[in-house]
């Protein structure tokens, strides 16, 4: 660990400077960093304020940003409350095929952690997109930067805000599986198709018809048995905000409770438990003017999460299980109260009640900063130094016990035979797993901001070190960065800026340790020209452009420090007549002494326009090229190397697109109207990925976007044996009429993996759009948020279509299966009880368009007139009802949410009722 | 003034920090194992050498049970007329149906072998500069590296013909587009490495170091390499399939009788070395009906020059490594059957061919009892003794051990009799044994000089120790060739050699060798407790001329500098 004495040196020196230069200045300075007035901006930045996020919030900040702010795509992959990594974030789409795609998150000037922060503690979020704005972040700028600015105290008297929100949530769509009798009919049909004797005879169907015995003739819908129809969701927060010239504070307490989805959740010891998530947040942001030229800021925040889950560490295994069990497999409980089950399947309720996992995590973040105004030395000069500690710890507790499940057979009319599976075992507890990281950052900077008549100069020079340690990693992640920017403006018309960074990264050899990133930008405020002064239509027009270099040192290498050769302990060999063990040593992939970071060149052109003083328009066009992408090379090294091919920085991706934002505002005493439309588009193309030579040119990933699906092209179903005879041979097992017929892309007469053709689009949609609408009439207000994407493809999860495979369930997709009579209208291949690889290869049949349009949020609110409440000391209060994820148009045919196609924890719709009171 | 104070202050801090931050961003040295670490001490070098053996020695007859290396199931004997592996998914069956191609090669160790060559090159390039002072140790390790490189190239030569020569450690910036060398260059390279290794390696090891290659091992590599090089497949101007102008990659381009002499000399060198080694000798003292058993039942016996020591687990009969050879009735998954095509190669004890009536007969046990004693020491036939747990193999239709009995006879080599359900044996897999040198010598000398007396002596030595009479004198060169080949086939039966022998002799394509009808017998117990047999064809195998050489992986050929073998 680095010697931290220098931090003290910096702080002491600021205090020393303060003593040296302490004198009264005319006014208290407000030292936000880089607080350019909007007109000075020459780079592509999008911004969203708290109000815009709060209404769309259910249980996660990341999820509530989806569609809200242009240039930021949110790809949700897990909807379970309280899990880590709920979504991947992409600024301007994907620009690299390596795994390091995540944007840098900066909270109040320091690297932060977005998972636990809540919208209520945020003032605004900015997305820095182009090179001009991200270049000073050095090795971590290329994926874009998310700047979170938390709420600070205002120089006003104390305001207390209490907000209470209660809601209920319900799944929007669950996979639909067939009931027992339909399942049995289809199973018999599958057997018939395979030329095997029927399994279920008339007696079995009669059993169901006559409701003979729910034990011998079970018909269980496990979704009904396990899942609640409604789950509670609530959020409470209380914050204090106020201050004066000496000190300002913002303090917040928030409690979020998200009820779990499972019922039947008596836990291991028999007491009722649940699979819920609770999160407590606190924040205390204090700014103190020590004297008139020295500002001290102390921001402390924390979050405590407590996640209880039944049936496993997360709900995935339960959802996978209940999507597989046939409805007639076994009853939930046997007549004697024991769990039903069979050899193949465990009992989902038994699973819930015998596995209880908890995750307790804590995050603590402390930022401290001193800012010294040196206006007395040089007007506009200030110095500042800050330090930040972020700390995260999660501990995992697993309690499990073994249980028995019994399969039933009828012994005689009054009794059953029980066959036991599984073993009883006492509760075992494992608390050994933990996860932690800590992050330390220190910075020091000089700011200069001065106006000389027509000349505006604005400069910053900063130095920053950061050090992150995390569990399961022997070595830290470190950076030392020198960066700065200088902006010069003339007459509030012409702007030019230069910014740079010189960043050193722990990841690379001393030869490649440091990288230099420059960027330039230009701006022209056309409307400030004399010839434009009297224009009534275009009230504001700024044109700006930027070009620069950024980097990414999260290169997705198979191991860190690729520049070192790496030998790992190999399995033993034996010597001596009694074969005694000798440990071995084996060389990992070939070292690459030149390994370095990804770099990106980006050009941006933007315009900011205001029409008629009311309609704002912002347009940005970009084109970027990411190069030096680390990629495993399959195209150059031969096997003679004797090792796996090295990873080289030879990958290249081109990405271009645009962002448009249009907003309109009207405000009067009784009526306000606001509308914002955001749309953004990004399309990438792999230029080089060092992939292996292919026999057929269409097999190359190069030239396609990242994540391009390669699938077999379905031509429908084989009509009859003649059709099979006259078609190319399909190499995935014997085919029969009703099986999927694929296109022979290379006309070699054989269908195999060489016929996987690039069809469809990557799952991350190219086009994102969101519309926010706000209308207020007197005390009533309504806000609406609609969100949509277009230009993406999803592949259905096999659990939806692998009917009967491995004794599994049948989803209602199979109702449109191929039979001889239904051959013309079938959308699903013939059923088969045996492994039918042919029908379940990745193919166009199982692709769906991702495109959707969602009514994400509506909120209706009523502002209670002030005089009614003033007697209670209440300044204002607002009642509101809201709904989230209310309605969707998509191509999913009711199978689930287009954003969550894996058939696990479902997408939820919620209805909320809330009150917001300010004292 | 104040301004200067501040500037001075900042400058001072920056300078004091600079060194700090360079260190701050530097990964601490000395935490990783590098080349320097490996060669820093004998102990570290031994670790690297252990992996050299681990990856380097092939396993043609026993499956590897870890995923780090290519895994073959069962024994490769099933690829030829020696045997049939019962389990259809076993590796050898791919040879039976010709199921391999450039996109799915048959040589699972292709990449692994290059790894071994790299490791050998690392040792060769670095051992001299190692601070380790013991010159004997350094010589031994260097000799082992040369030996392993020679052996790896031999393994490639017999599969592919000429291959690219990689004699240095390749790095990222090296040109890896090395073309194939000619057969001649490849053989010369192997011989040169083997000579170097032989000059560096010791004659023997103390018992706790057995498993390291002694001097005899590179001599055996040289003997085998020159024998293959002199054989009809390579010692010719007309290979089975032509590569046109690139024929030098798959054959010598002419026939030169002297190549046989070189092969004979190399084999003789092994026999001579054994005499001076003071430990290496043929097993002759256990008696004709036990000598052959002893060879494989007792690890590190005097005839074993080098064995692969894969495990130190004492596997019982159910044990994994040998399980794949074990018949199902004895607890294995199916077993390996010995074909009638092969059993017909066993002479009678009097040195004359056994008469098998292809229409069947009633005298099965009599026919068995008349055969070469090595038959009973390698094969489990009806009523033979397996071990104490299974004293009588009941292999007739309906017999206790007849499950999965395709050919009528089960392979028992290399399962020791002492390996039982309750007790076991450490498995060692023979790579080179002295007996091979004698049959190499006899074959090569006959080709070079005709059936001279030294050739008779060599082959009769092998025959006599298993109770077989001398070959008749006055054989012609052609007659001696046939007898020598047959003797080699019987002596080295199932040891993973025949797949290469039938290819270098260019007889693999002949009916009943690797192509065409494969015969087994159906056994019936008669009312008088005698046994009758009925030969039948259990399989029809495929062998095409292109299969004399194996295909290189398509992915490598696609890179544009590797000439594919003919027919692929």
């Amino acid at each position: 660990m680095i010697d931290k004495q220098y931090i003290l040196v910096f702080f002491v020196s600021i205090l020393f400077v303060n003593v040296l230069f302490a004198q009264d200045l005319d006014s208290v300075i407000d030292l936000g960093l880089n607080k350019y007035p909007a007109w000075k901006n020459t780079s592509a930045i999008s911004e969203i304020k708290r109000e815009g996020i709060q209404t769309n919030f259910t249980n996660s900040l990341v999820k509530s940003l989806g569609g809200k702010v242009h240039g930021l795509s949110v790809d949700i992959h897990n909807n379970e409350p309280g899990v880590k990594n709920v979504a991947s974030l992409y600024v301007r789409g994907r620009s690299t095929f390596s795994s390091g795609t995540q944007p840098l998150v900066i909270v109040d000037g320091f690297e932060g952690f977005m998972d636990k922060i809540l919208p209520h503690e945020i003032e605004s979020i900015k997305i820095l997109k182009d090179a001009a704005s991200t270049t000073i972040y050095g090795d971590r700028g290329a994926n874009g930067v998310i700047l979170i600015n938390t709420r600070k105290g205002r120089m006003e008297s104390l305001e207390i805000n209490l907000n209470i929100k209660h809601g209920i949530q319900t799944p929007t769509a669950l996979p639909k599986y067939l009931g027992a009798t339909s399942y049995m009919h289809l199973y018999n049909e599958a057997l018939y198709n395979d030329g095997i004797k029927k399994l279920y005879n008339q007696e079995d169907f009669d059993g169901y018809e006559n409701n003979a015995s729910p034990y011998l003739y079970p018909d269980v819908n496990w979704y009904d048995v396990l899942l609640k129809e409604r789950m509670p969701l609530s959020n409470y927060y209380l914050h204090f905000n106020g201050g004066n010239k000496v000190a300002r504070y913002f303090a917040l307490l928030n409690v979020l409770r998200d009820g779990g989805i499972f019922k039947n959740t008596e836990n291991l010891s028999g007491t009722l438990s649940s699979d819920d998530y609770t999160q407590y947040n606190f924040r205390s942001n204090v700014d103190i003017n020590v004297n008139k030229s020295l500002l001290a800021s102390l921001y402390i925040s924390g979050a405590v999460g407590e996640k209880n889950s039944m049936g496993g560490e997360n709900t995935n295994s339960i959802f996978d299980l209940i999507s597989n069990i046939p409805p007639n497999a076994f009853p939930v409980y046997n007549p004697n109260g024991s769990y039903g089950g069979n050899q193949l399947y465990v009992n989902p309720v038994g699973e819930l009640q015998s596995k209880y996992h908890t995750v307790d995590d804590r995050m603590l973040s402390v930022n401290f900063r001193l800012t010294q105004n040196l206006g007395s030395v040089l007007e506009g000069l200030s110095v500042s130094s800050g330090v930040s500690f972020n700390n995260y710890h999660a501990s995992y507790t697993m309690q499990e016990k073994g249980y028995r499940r019994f399969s039933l057979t009828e012994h005689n009319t009054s009794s059953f035979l029980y066959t036991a599976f599984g073993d009883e075992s006492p509760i075992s507890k494992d608390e050994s797993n933990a996860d932690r990281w800590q992050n330390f950052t220190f910075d020091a900077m000089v700011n200069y901001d001065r106006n000389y008549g027509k000349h505006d100069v604005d400069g910053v020079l900063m130095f920053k070190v950061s050090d992150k340690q995390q569990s399961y990693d022997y070595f830290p992640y470190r950076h030392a960065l020198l960066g700065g920017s200088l902006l010069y403006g003339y007459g509030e018309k012409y702007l030019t800026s230069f910014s740079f960074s010189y960043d050193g990264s722990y990841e690379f050899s001393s030869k490649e340790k440091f990288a230099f990133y420059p960027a330039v930008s230009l701006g022209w405020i056309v409307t400030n020209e004399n010839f434009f002064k009297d224009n009534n239509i275009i009230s504001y027009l700024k044109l700006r452009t930027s070009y620069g270099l950024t980097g990414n040192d999260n290169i997705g290498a198979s191991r860190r420090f690729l520049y070192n050769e790496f030998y790992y302990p190999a399995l033993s060999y034996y010597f001596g007549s009694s074969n005694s063990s000798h440990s071995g040593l084996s060389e990992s992939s070939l070292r690459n002494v030149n390994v370095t970071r990804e770099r990106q060149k980006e050009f941006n052109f933007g315009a900011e326009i205001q029409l008629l003083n009311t309609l704002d328009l912002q347009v940005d066009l970009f084109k970027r090229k990411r190069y030096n992408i680390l990629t495993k090379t399959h195209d150059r090294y031969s096997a003679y190397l004797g090792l796996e091919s090295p990873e080289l920085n030879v990958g290249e991706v081109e990405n271009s697109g645009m962002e448009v934002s249009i907003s309109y505002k009207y405000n009067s005493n009784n009526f306000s109207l606001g509308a914002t439309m955001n749309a953004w588009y990004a399309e990438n193309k792999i230029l080089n990925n060092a992939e292996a030579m292919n026999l057929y040119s269409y097999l190359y990933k190069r030239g396609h976007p990242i994540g391009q699906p390669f699938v077999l092209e379905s031509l429908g179903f084989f009509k009859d044996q003649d059709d099979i005879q006259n078609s190319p041979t399909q190499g995935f097992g014997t085919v029969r009429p009703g099986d999927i017929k694929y296109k022979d892309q290379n006309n070699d007469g054989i269908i195999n993996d060489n016929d996987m053709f690039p069809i469809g689009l990557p799952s991350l949609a190219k086009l994102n759009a969101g519309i926010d609408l706000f209308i207020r009439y007197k005390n009533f207000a309504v806000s609406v948020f609609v969100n949509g994407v277009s230009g993406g493809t999803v592949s259905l999860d096999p659990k939806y279509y692998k009917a009967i495979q491995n004794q599994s369930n049948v989803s209602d997709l199979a109702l449109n299966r191929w039979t001889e009579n239904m051959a013309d209208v079938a959308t699903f291949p013939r059923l088969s009880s045996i492994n039918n690889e042919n029908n379940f290869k990745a193919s166009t049949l199982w692709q769906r368009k991702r495109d959707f349009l969602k009514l994400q949020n509506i909120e209706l609110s009523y502002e209670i007139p002030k005089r009614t409440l003033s007697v209670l000391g209440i300044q204002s209060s607002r009642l509101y009802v809201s709904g989230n994820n209310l309605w969707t148009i998509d191509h999913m045919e009711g199978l689930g949410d287009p954003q969550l196609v894996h058939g696990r924890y479902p997408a939820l719709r919620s209805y909320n009722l809330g009150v917001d009171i300010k004292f | 003034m104040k301004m200067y104070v501040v500037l001075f202050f900042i400058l001072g801090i920056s300078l004091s920090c600079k060194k700090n931050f360079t260190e701050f961003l530097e990964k601490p040295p000395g935490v990783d194992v590098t080349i320097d670490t490996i060669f820093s001490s004998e102990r570290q070098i031994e670790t690297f050498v252990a992996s050299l053996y681990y990856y380097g020695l092939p396993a043609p007859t026993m499956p590897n049970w870890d995923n780090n290396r290519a895994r073959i199931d069962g024994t490769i004997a099933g690829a030829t007329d020696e045997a049939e592996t019962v389990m259809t998914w076993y590796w050898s069956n791919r040879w039976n149906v010709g199921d391999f191609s450039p996109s799915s090669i048959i040589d699972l160790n292709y990449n692994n072998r290059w790894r071994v060559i790299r490791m050998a090159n690392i040792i060769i390039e670095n051992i001299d500069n190692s601070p380790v002072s013991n010159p004997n140790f350094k010589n031994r390790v260097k000799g082992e590296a040369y030996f392993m490189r020679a052996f790896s190239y031999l393994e490639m030569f017999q599969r592919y013909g000429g291959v690219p020569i990689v004699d240095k450690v390749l790095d990222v910036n090296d040109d890896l587009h090395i073309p194939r060398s000619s057969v001649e260059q490849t053989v010369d390279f192997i011989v040169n490495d083997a000579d170097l290794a032989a000059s560096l390696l010791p004659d023997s090891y103390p018992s706790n170091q057995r498993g390291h290659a002694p001097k005899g091992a590179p001599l055996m590599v040289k003997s085998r390499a020159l024998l293959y090089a002199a054989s009809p497949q390579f010692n010719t101007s007309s290979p089975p399939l032509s590569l046109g102008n690139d024929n030098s990659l798959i054959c010598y381009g002419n026939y030169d009788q002297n190549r046989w002499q070189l092969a004979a000399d190399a084999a003789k060198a092994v026999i001579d070395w054994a005499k001076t080694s003071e430990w290496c000798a043929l097993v002759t003292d256990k008696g004709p009906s036990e000598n052959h058993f002893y060879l494989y039942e007792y690890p590190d016996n005097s005839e074993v020059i080098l064995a692969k020591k894969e495990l130190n687990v004492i596997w019982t009969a159910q044990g994994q490594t040998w399980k794949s050879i074990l018949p199902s009735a004895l607890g294995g998954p199916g077993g390996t059957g010995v074909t009638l095509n092969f059993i017909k190669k066993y002479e009678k004890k009097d040195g004359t061919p056994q008469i098998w009536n292809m229409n069947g007969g009633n005298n099965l046990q009599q026919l068995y009892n008349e055969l070469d004693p090595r038959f009973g020491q390698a094969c489990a036939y009806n009523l033979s003794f397996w071990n104490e747990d299974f004293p009588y193999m009941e292999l007739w239709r309906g017999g206790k051990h007849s499950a999965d009995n395709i050919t009528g006879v089960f392979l028992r080599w290399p399962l020791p009799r002492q390996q039982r359900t309750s007790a076991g044996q450490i498995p060692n897999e023979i790579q080179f044994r002295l007996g091979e040198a004698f049959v190499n010598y006899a074959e090569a000398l006959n080709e070079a000089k005709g059936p001279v007396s030294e050739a008779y002596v060599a082959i009769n030595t092998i025959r006599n120790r298993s109770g077989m009479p001398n070959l008749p004198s006055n054989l012609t060169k052609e007659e001696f060739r046939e007898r020598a080949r047959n003797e080699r086939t019987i002596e080295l039966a199932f040891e993973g050699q025949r797949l290469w022998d039938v290819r270098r002799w260019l007889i693999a394509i002949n009916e009943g060798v690797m192509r065409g009808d494969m015969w087994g017998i159906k056994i019936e117990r008669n009312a008088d407790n005698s046994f009758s047999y009925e030969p039948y064809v259990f399989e029809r195998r495929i062998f095409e001329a292109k299969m004399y050489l194996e295909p290189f992986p398509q992915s490598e050929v696609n890179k544009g500098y590797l000439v594919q073998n003919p027919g692929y």
Side-chain angles (χ1 to χ4, degrees), chain B residues 262-273:
Chain B
L262 292 173
D265 294 346
K268 180 81 167 25
V270 181
I271 297 168
D272 291 344
W273 165 79

PDB file of all heavy atoms in Angstrom, chain B residues 262-273:
ATOM      1  N   LEU B 262      21.505 -48.855 -41.492  1.00  0.00           N
ATOM      2  CA  LEU B 262      21.511 -47.867 -40.405  1.00  0.00           C
ATOM      3  C   LEU B 262      20.537 -48.278 -39.310  1.00  0.00           C
ATOM      4  O   LEU B 262      20.823 -48.161 -38.110  1.00  0.00           O
ATOM      5  CB  LEU B 262      21.137 -46.485 -40.942  1.00  0.00           C
ATOM      6  CG  LEU B 262      22.149 -45.825 -41.883  1.00  0.00           C
ATOM      7  CD1 LEU B 262      21.566 -44.540 -42.471  1.00  0.00           C
ATOM      8  CD2 LEU B 262      23.468 -45.552 -41.151  1.00  0.00           C
ATOM      9  N   ALA B 263      19.367 -48.794 -39.733  1.00  0.00           N
ATOM     10  CA  ALA B 263      18.365 -49.234 -38.764  1.00  0.00           C
ATOM     11  C   ALA B 263      18.895 -50.418 -37.966  1.00  0.00           C
ATOM     12  O   ALA B 263      18.719 -50.493 -36.736  1.00  0.00           O
ATOM     13  CB  ALA B 263      17.069 -49.611 -39.487  1.00  0.00           C
ATOM     14  N   ALA B 264      19.576 -51.329 -38.658  1.00  0.00           N
ATOM     15  CA  ALA B 264      20.113 -52.495 -37.969  1.00  0.00           C
ATOM     16  C   ALA B 264      21.179 -52.061 -36.969  1.00  0.00           C
ATOM     17  O   ALA B 264      21.202 -52.518 -35.819  1.00  0.00           O
ATOM     18  CB  ALA B 264      20.704 -53.468 -38.996  1.00  0.00           C
ATOM     19  N   ASP B 265      22.045 -51.120 -37.395  1.00  0.00           N
ATOM     20  CA  ASP B 265      23.090 -50.637 -36.493  1.00  0.00           C
ATOM     21  C   ASP B 265      22.476 -49.993 -35.245  1.00  0.00           C
ATOM     22  O   ASP B 265      22.963 -50.185 -34.123  1.00  0.00           O
ATOM     23  CB  ASP B 265      23.970 -49.604 -37.208  1.00  0.00           C
ATOM     24  CG  ASP B 265      24.766 -50.245 -38.353  1.00  0.00           C
ATOM     25  OD1 ASP B 265      24.832 -51.494 -38.393  1.00  0.00           O
ATOM     26  OD2 ASP B 265      25.288 -49.490 -39.194  1.00  0.00           O
ATOM     27  N   ALA B 266      21.426 -49.226 -35.446  1.00  0.00           N
ATOM     28  CA  ALA B 266      20.796 -48.532 -34.318  1.00  0.00           C
ATOM     29  C   ALA B 266      20.193 -49.535 -33.350  1.00  0.00           C
ATOM     30  O   ALA B 266      20.266 -49.360 -32.122  1.00  0.00           O
ATOM     31  CB  ALA B 266      19.726 -47.560 -34.825  1.00  0.00           C
ATOM     32  N   ALA B 267      19.591 -50.611 -33.893  1.00  0.00           N
ATOM     33  CA  ALA B 267      19.009 -51.630 -33.015  1.00  0.00           C
ATOM     34  C   ALA B 267      20.112 -52.361 -32.268  1.00  0.00           C
ATOM     35  O   ALA B 267      20.011 -52.643 -31.066  1.00  0.00           O
ATOM     36  CB  ALA B 267      18.173 -52.608 -33.832  1.00  0.00           C
ATOM     37  N   LYS B 268      21.169 -52.624 -33.000  1.00  0.00           N
ATOM     38  CA  LYS B 268      22.316 -53.311 -32.379  1.00  0.00           C
ATOM     39  C   LYS B 268      22.889 -52.469 -31.238  1.00  0.00           C
ATOM     40  O   LYS B 268      23.287 -52.995 -30.181  1.00  0.00           O
ATOM     41  CB  LYS B 268      23.379 -53.549 -33.460  1.00  0.00           C
ATOM     42  CG  LYS B 268      24.638 -54.246 -33.002  1.00  0.00           C
ATOM     43  CD  LYS B 268      24.397 -55.745 -32.952  1.00  0.00           C
ATOM     44  CE  LYS B 268      25.655 -56.609 -32.810  1.00  0.00           C
ATOM     45  NZ  LYS B 268      26.805 -56.036 -32.220  1.00  0.00           N
ATOM     46  N   ALA B 269      22.884 -51.139 -31.443  1.00  0.00           N
ATOM     47  CA  ALA B 269      23.426 -50.241 -30.417  1.00  0.00           C
ATOM     48  C   ALA B 269      22.655 -50.388 -29.109  1.00  0.00           C
ATOM     49  O   ALA B 269      23.227 -50.306 -28.020  1.00  0.00           O
ATOM     50  CB  ALA B 269      23.375 -48.795 -30.913  1.00  0.00           C
ATOM     51  N   VAL B 270      21.350 -50.616 -29.204  1.00  0.00           N
ATOM     52  CA  VAL B 270      20.552 -50.783 -27.990  1.00  0.00           C
ATOM     53  C   VAL B 270      20.941 -52.082 -27.296  1.00  0.00           C
ATOM     54  O   VAL B 270      21.148 -52.120 -26.072  1.00  0.00           O
ATOM     55  CB  VAL B 270      19.043 -50.797 -28.320  1.00  0.00           C
ATOM     56  CG1 VAL B 270      18.234 -50.936 -27.032  1.00  0.00           C
ATOM     57  CG2 VAL B 270      18.628 -49.553 -29.084  1.00  0.00           C
ATOM     58  N   ILE B 271      21.087 -53.149 -28.115  1.00  0.00           N
ATOM     59  CA  ILE B 271      21.420 -54.457 -27.536  1.00  0.00           C
ATOM     60  C   ILE B 271      22.804 -54.397 -26.881  1.00  0.00           C
ATOM     61  O   ILE B 271      22.997 -54.883 -25.762  1.00  0.00           O
ATOM     62  CB  ILE B 271      21.364 -55.540 -28.638  1.00  0.00           C
ATOM     63  CG1 ILE B 271      19.928 -55.639 -29.187  1.00  0.00           C
ATOM     64  CG2 ILE B 271      21.833 -56.888 -28.099  1.00  0.00           C
ATOM     65  CD1 ILE B 271      19.801 -56.449 -30.456  1.00  0.00           C
ATOM     66  N   ASP B 272      23.732 -53.712 -27.559  1.00  0.00           N
ATOM     67  CA  ASP B 272      25.078 -53.581 -26.997  1.00  0.00           C
ATOM     68  C   ASP B 272      25.077 -52.751 -25.728  1.00  0.00           C
ATOM     69  O   ASP B 272      25.753 -53.067 -24.749  1.00  0.00           O
ATOM     70  CB  ASP B 272      26.018 -52.936 -28.033  1.00  0.00           C
ATOM     71  CG  ASP B 272      26.270 -53.878 -29.201  1.00  0.00           C
ATOM     72  OD1 ASP B 272      25.979 -55.088 -29.053  1.00  0.00           O
ATOM     73  OD2 ASP B 272      26.724 -53.403 -30.263  1.00  0.00           O
ATOM     74  N   TRP B 273      24.300 -51.653 -25.783  1.00  0.00           N
ATOM     75  CA  TRP B 273      24.221 -50.805 -24.581  1.00  0.00           C
ATOM     76  C   TRP B 273      23.697 -51.612 -23.391  1.00  0.00           C
ATOM     77  O   TRP B 273      24.210 -51.508 -22.274  1.00  0.00           O
ATOM     78  CB  TRP B 273      23.311 -49.596 -24.840  1.00  0.00           C
ATOM     79  CG  TRP B 273      22.913 -48.910 -23.572  1.00  0.00           C
ATOM     80  CD1 TRP B 273      23.681 -48.051 -22.849  1.00  0.00           C
ATOM     81  CD2 TRP B 273      21.687 -49.077 -22.846  1.00  0.00           C
ATOM     82  NE1 TRP B 273      23.017 -47.668 -21.716  1.00  0.00           N
ATOM     83  CE2 TRP B 273      21.788 -48.278 -21.695  1.00  0.00           C
ATOM     84  CE3 TRP B 273      20.521 -49.831 -23.069  1.00  0.00           C
ATOM     85  CZ2 TRP B 273      20.754 -48.202 -20.757  1.00  0.00           C
ATOM     86  CZ3 TRP B 273      19.509 -49.751 -22.143  1.00  0.00           C
ATOM     87  CH2 TRP B 273      19.621 -48.948 -20.990  1.00  0.00           C
TER      88      TRP B 273
END
